[in-house]
Amino acid sequence: GPLKPEITITYIAVSAIFFNSGLSLKTEELTSALMHVKLHLFVQIFTLVFFPTAIWLFLQLLSITPINEWLLKGLQTVGCMPPPVSSAVILTKAVGGNEAAAIFNSAFGSFLGIVITPLLLLLFLGSSSSVPFTSIFSQLFMTVVVPLIIGQIVRRYIKDWLERKKPPFGAISSCVLLMIIYTTFCDTFANPNIDLDKFSLIVIVFIIFSVQMSFMFLTFLFSTRNNSGFTPADTVAIVFCSTHKSLTLGIPMLKIVFAGYEHLSLISVPLLIYHPAQILLGSLLVPTIKSWMVSRQKALKLTRQPKAPVKV
């Protein structure tokens, strides 16, 4: 179509989000985030090991139901996807959480996903096609890492201006993300061969929201335990990064792994629902999570303050 999403979305939109992040993020925050190994391990193991395994076990139960089998296979592909390169960062930023950790996990998870996601898809679903790792890797490097570095370099020269003017980075990223979702929906539902029954679609939408809520609650519980070692800001990044799945990486990967597959459109439907659902759910929860984080941070500050000596 006239929007040319194969260029504007695949390259320009994703690059814009990461250039935006590079420009808005303080360099010292990004370097300190690299050292937070425990947080990164938690996010990557949850999203690339626990998530797909839990979905596979759940689908063993759903396979006896009359739900469309290709939509169920699509649910499994959602589980295999890496963290998103945009939505988790935007929502973490909106709450005021650890944005640097969210950016690192989004970028690092995406690179891990280049290798791990196709392997998971082959393990759980099987496919005969060979996956061109080098082309996906180079595309990710050019659209994620390079814009982030350029943003950081530009920031050094206009740092004072940014501090003074405070441009609306969050709003810009949100607009770009909306454009990504719109074009992907158009691309999928423009396919004349797509054959969906309403019952299966409604049930899949319900399952997707239930899975997201359950996993967000689970990551919240794990990261707020007394001995977890995570700050409230870390918890925010963990909740969004661990439970969100990438659409911008996911759809191209599905097209590569299942090239020429007649049911590709149906398989991609759950991912197309999951992505806007995670943004909608995340946006609705932003005020609640923000108030929790602020109150928790205040409580922690009070407990750390030295008590005044009692006068006799």
Side-chain angles (χ1 to χ4, degrees):
L3 291 176
K4 295 276 180 265
E6 65 276 9
I7 299 164
T8 56
I9 298 302
T10 311
Y11 296 100
I12 299 169
V14 176
S15 299
I17 282 172
F18 277 88
F19 173 74
N20 195 19
S21 292
L23 205 58
S24 63
L25 194 72
K26 290 172 183 171
T27 311
E28 57 273 18
E29 286 179 5
L30 195 59
T31 48
S32 68
L34 297 176
M35 303 290 97
H36 209 332
V37 179
K38 190 180 176 183
L39 189 151
H40 308 324
L41 277 174
F42 182 96
V43 171
Q44 302 307 328
I45 290 170
F46 189 94
T47 195
L48 292 171
V49 179
F50 176 80
F51 202 127
T53 309
I55 292 289
W56 182 80
L57 291 168
F58 182 48
L59 290 181
Q60 302 311 300
L61 296 171
L62 290 178
S63 61
I64 57 172
T65 63
I67 302 168
N68 187 303
E69 66 168 312
W70 300 108
L71 286 179
L72 291 180
K73 286 181 190 292
L75 265 181
Q76 185 64 67
T77 66
V78 170
C80 298
M81 290 302 150
V85 288
S86 45
S87 62
V89 175
I90 293 165
L91 289 167
T92 303
K93 187 184 178 76
V95 174
N98 191 340
E99 190 196 350
I103 283 184
F104 178 82
N105 277 289
S106 294
F108 184 57
S110 299
F111 280 107
L112 279 180
I114 296 165
V115 178
I116 295 173
T117 294
L119 292 175
L120 288 172
L121 289 171
L122 297 174
L123 174 69
F124 289 113
L125 298 166
S127 173
S128 56
S129 63
S130 57
V131 182
F133 291 114
T134 47
S135 64
I136 305 176
F137 195 86
S138 58
Q139 184 186 319
L140 265 180
F141 185 78
M142 293 306 294
T143 57
V144 175
V145 178
V146 172
L148 193 66
I149 293 168
I150 293 170
Q152 285 282 286
I153 293 166
V154 173
R155 181 183 168 81
R156 291 182 68 180
Y157 295 101
I158 59 167
K159 193 176 179 181
D160 295 333
W161 181 84
L162 290 172
E163 294 293 328
R164 225 174 32 250
K165 295 287 182 185
K166 291 188 168 36
F169 291 116
I172 295 165
S173 295
S174 299
C175 290
V176 176
L177 196 59
L178 190 65
M179 189 173 152
I180 292 170
I181 295 166
Y182 170 72
T183 52
T184 312
F185 258 89
C186 292
D187 193 33
T188 299
F189 291 102
N191 188 335
N193 300 323
I194 199 159
D195 180 30
L196 274 174
D197 64 284
K198 287 176 185 175
F199 168 76
S200 295
L201 190 61
I202 291 165
V203 172
I204 289 292
V205 170
F206 175 75
I207 289 168
I208 283 168
F209 273 97
S210 303
V211 164
Q212 276 189 38
M213 286 296 288
S214 305
F215 283 0
M216 284 176 93
F217 184 63
L218 201 62
T219 50
F220 180 80
L221 280 182
F222 273 112
S223 59
T224 51
R225 286 178 307 161
N226 291 333
N227 59 347
S228 69
F230 298 124
T231 65
D234 292 340
T235 296
V236 174
I238 287 168
V239 166
F240 289 128
C241 290
S242 302
T243 57
H244 280 208
K245 293 292 184 175
S246 178
L247 178 73
T248 44
L249 281 176
I251 294 296
M253 273 190 188
L254 287 181
K255 284 179 179 173
I256 291 163
V257 177
F258 298 106
Y261 212 64
E262 62 172 318
H263 297 289
L264 176 60
S265 293
L266 280 173
I267 288 173
S268 60
V269 165
L271 184 58
L272 277 167
I273 297 167
Y274 194 96
H275 190 80
Q278 72 192 9
I279 296 164
L280 176 67
L281 204 57
S283 304
L284 290 172
L285 289 171
V286 161
T288 310
I289 297 173
K290 194 169 188 172
S291 63
W292 168 82
M293 188 188 77
V294 171
S295 62
R296 187 72 185 264
Q297 282 173 333
K298 281 179 183 173
L300 286 169
K301 271 184 186 176
L302 287 171
T303 54
R304 283 174 190 159
Q305 279 176 359
K307 288 179 182 177
V310 181
K311 288 180 182 179
V312 181

